[in-house]
Amino acid sequence: MNTAIDNPAGALAAPQTLRGKIALVTGASSGIGRATAIEFANRGAMVVVSARRADEIEALGQSQ
């Protein structure tokens, strides 16, 4: 765990890899859901996304 006690200088830990993990992100068509889906994918997770706007979800898949 990365807490202020463990890390008094406040330095950020290296990004954690998510290889071999599966993430389900709801609300992935925009905002924080979209950003979360992209970040999880960048860290190696297999990402399953859902949202009400199918066109935005399709665009998300095309952009990565």
Side-chain angles (χ1 to χ4, degrees):
M1 181 180 285
N2 190 10
T3 66
I5 294 170
D6 297 332
N7 190 357
L12 296 176
Q16 179 180 1
T17 182
L18 297 175
R19 275 188 222 112
K21 303 290 184 183
I22 300 170
L24 171 62
V25 180
T26 61
S29 62
S30 65
I32 197 165
R34 182 181 180 94
T36 300
I38 291 169
E39 184 64 22
F40 284 177
N42 287 340
R43 291 185 186 202
M46 178 181 294
V47 183
V48 179
V49 296
S50 70
R52 292 178 291 169
R53 296 181 289 172
D55 57 327
E56 293 292 331
I57 291 295
E58 289 176 19
L60 177 64
Q62 305 269 332
S63 68
Q64 299 302 313

